[in-house]
Amino acid sequence: MLGMALAALDGTIVSTAVPQIVGDLGGFAVFSWLFSGYLLAVTVTLPVYGKLSDTFGRKPVLIAGIILFLIGSLLCATAWNMASLIAFRVVQGLGGGALQGTVQVIAADLYPLKERPKIQARLSTVWATSSIAGPALGGLLAGYADWRWIFLINLPVGAVALWLVIRYLREPHRPASTRLTAPGRAPRRRVDWAGALAVFATGALLLTALVQGGVAWPWVSVPSFAFLGGSTVLAAVTVVIERRATDPIIPGWVWRRRTIAAVNLALGALGLLMVAPTVFLPTYAQSVLGLGPIAAGFVLSAMTLSWPISAAFSSRLYNRIGFRLTAITGISLALLVLLAFPLLPYPGRPWQPALIMLLLGAALGMFQLPLIIGVQSTVGWSERGTATASILFYRQIGQSVGAALFGAVANGVMAARLADAPMPGLPGDLDSVSKALENPATLTAEAADYLRRAMDSAVDYVYLGAAGAAAVSLLVLIFVAPRRFPVLKDPE
């Protein structure tokens, strides 16, 4: 839990310190790469770490991830300009990929099927707590100490986590088939480094195209075509390399098994729909409802409060009706909740979107955890790291696709509303509108109200798009996933 707290806090604590970081180091035009670079490194390394944990064990991979994350944190605290800080954030992300995936696998290794919901729910509370405490802690450190402390604070937490893991983590004995190739002979542990490099390069180009498209350059431009085309070519090369590899990083069985393939698709859609609340709800709360950043964060935090509670109780449901039907129930409820968001009155009261987020968290807790535990329960020790990393990888990819897709949807709706504006001189895009509404004194009352209504409409369409992603996930579970997951019995 301490190891996961490092990665969880890092995702939220930096956001509130951005003004101080930019004021000290400059680089306002590229500061978004503080988040994009970290996300990219985490995402593209997930499959690699998953395979390494199946090959060498979870403990060495987790230890290496914590050490790399702490090195990156220390380097971030010594950054002398924005370019160096972004580079060191990538180093942090290389360690964060090991933390996110390996902790989930260790939980499945150490706890039998009946106890996994409890430990997974506790891990979920780490993310819930971090989503609330991270922004507040980041703001306090940046405002009353120095922004560099948001990275230095990782060092004592990480040191304790590292000591506990080294001292107390005892991995269960692996089955004999994964430890010996012949009686008395240790196996040769071959790592598909060519495949790892190909996966890394493909993911890096694809995520760069998705993150920077429409921001650093237009979608219809030479850079977009170059990155998307390059990622397509590299994806084909990766398939060739992996098909020839003796022990590939992403083995073919990940997609040949219906259970894992269906969960990959379903959680990819989950990553896509999660962009609506995590990215656009804070903007909605501040621009439409007129809340401050902290109050807007609390509206979003309602989802993180109900999610782990729902996840903890989901075991009572899937033990009776199965993993698939439990997940179908959860995503069906999420679909209804997402469709309810555009029905909220304008301008509305803060408790209304907070209630929507509370219900959404409860629905998604019932959806995601049964799928993760279900997949982990269908594979043995030697495949669990790869299977877990696979579903987390596609969830991250879905999140990146969702950020690009819904950003385009919101900007398109906003542009259409502004083109029909009855008054001249209004901002021209989503970011400009958000900044203008932060300083309403520069606008007339009529212009401010028009912009708020335009923002409200743009976010409504984003939530409709998220509902579409939920519908895709529901269809995958109904028509692709097997009726019953082929669960393996826990070893005695």
Side-chain angles (χ1 to χ4, degrees), residues 7 38 41-42 45-46 49 65 68-69 91-101:
Y38 179 84
V42 168
T45 55
L46 276 170
Y49 284 126
L68 193 55
F69 187 90
V91 175
Q92 262 193 316
L94 295 177
L99 294 174
Q100 288 197 24

Side-chain angles (χ1 to χ4, degrees), residues 147-293:
W147 63 265
R148 297 178 191 273
W149 279 100
I150 67 176
F151 300 107
L152 291 175
I153 198 173
N154 290 330
L155 300 182
V157 177
V160 174
L162 188 62
W163 179 78
L164 288 172
V165 168
I166 293 174
R167 178 69 178 83
Y168 293 107
L169 177 58
R170 297 288 182 268
E171 292 193 75
H173 291 292
R174 307 183 211 176
S177 60
T178 68
R179 290 186 284 113
L180 297 175
T181 55
R185 182 186 300 175
R188 291 184 63 187
R189 295 178 176 180
R190 295 181 178 179
V191 178
D192 177 24
W193 294 116
L197 180 61
V199 170
F200 190 93
T202 303
L205 285 185
L206 176 61
L207 289 175
T208 301
L210 294 174
V211 169
Q212 294 298 97
V215 179
W217 51 73
W219 281 109
V220 183
S221 64
V222 172
S224 282
F225 292 140
F227 277 99
L228 291 173
S231 64
T232 302
V233 172
L234 283 176
V237 172
T238 302
V239 171
V240 173
I241 292 173
E242 295 298 83
R243 291 185 68 177
R244 294 180 177 179
T246 304
D247 197 11
I249 290 292
I250 303 181
W253 56 260
V254 166
W255 283 103
R256 286 195 298 267
R257 298 180 190 177
R258 284 181 60 191
T259 302
I260 301 176
V263 173
N264 281 342
L265 294 172
L267 290 190
L270 171 65
L272 196 149
L273 75 85
M274 282 298 295
V275 171
T278 57
V279 176
F280 289 92
L281 183 66
T283 300
Y284 170 88
Q286 293 180 67
S287 300
V288 178
L289 302 181
L291 303 178

Side-chain angles (χ1 to χ4, degrees), residues 311-386:
F313 284 98
S314 66
S315 62
R316 299 185 179 183
L317 190 58
Y318 71 63
N319 283 329
R320 291 186 177 184
I321 65 175
F323 294 112
R324 174 176 170 269
L325 287 179
T326 302
I328 286 176
T329 302
I331 198 63
S332 299
L333 294 175
L335 174 60
L336 295 176
V337 172
L338 290 166
L339 289 173
F341 187 91
L343 302 178
L344 294 178
Y346 172 86
R349 297 183 178 275
W351 68 265
Q352 294 167 333
L355 177 60
I356 291 287
M357 291 303 100
L358 190 71
L359 296 174
L360 183 62
L364 294 179
M366 193 187 305
F367 165 70
Q368 178 183 258
L369 187 60
L371 293 182
I372 293 177
I373 294 179
V375 165
Q376 291 177 334
S377 303
T378 64
V379 295
W381 189 99
S382 62
E383 296 178 338
R384 190 170 290 144
T386 299

Side-chain angles (χ1 to χ4, degrees), residues 45-57:
T45 55
L46 276 170
V48 179
Y49 284 126
K51 186 61 181 179
L52 290 177
S53 73
D54 284 342
T55 304
F56 298 104

Side-chain angles (χ1 to χ4, degrees), residues 37 42 81 118 426:
V42 168
N81 57 29
K118 295 179 181 179
L426 294 180

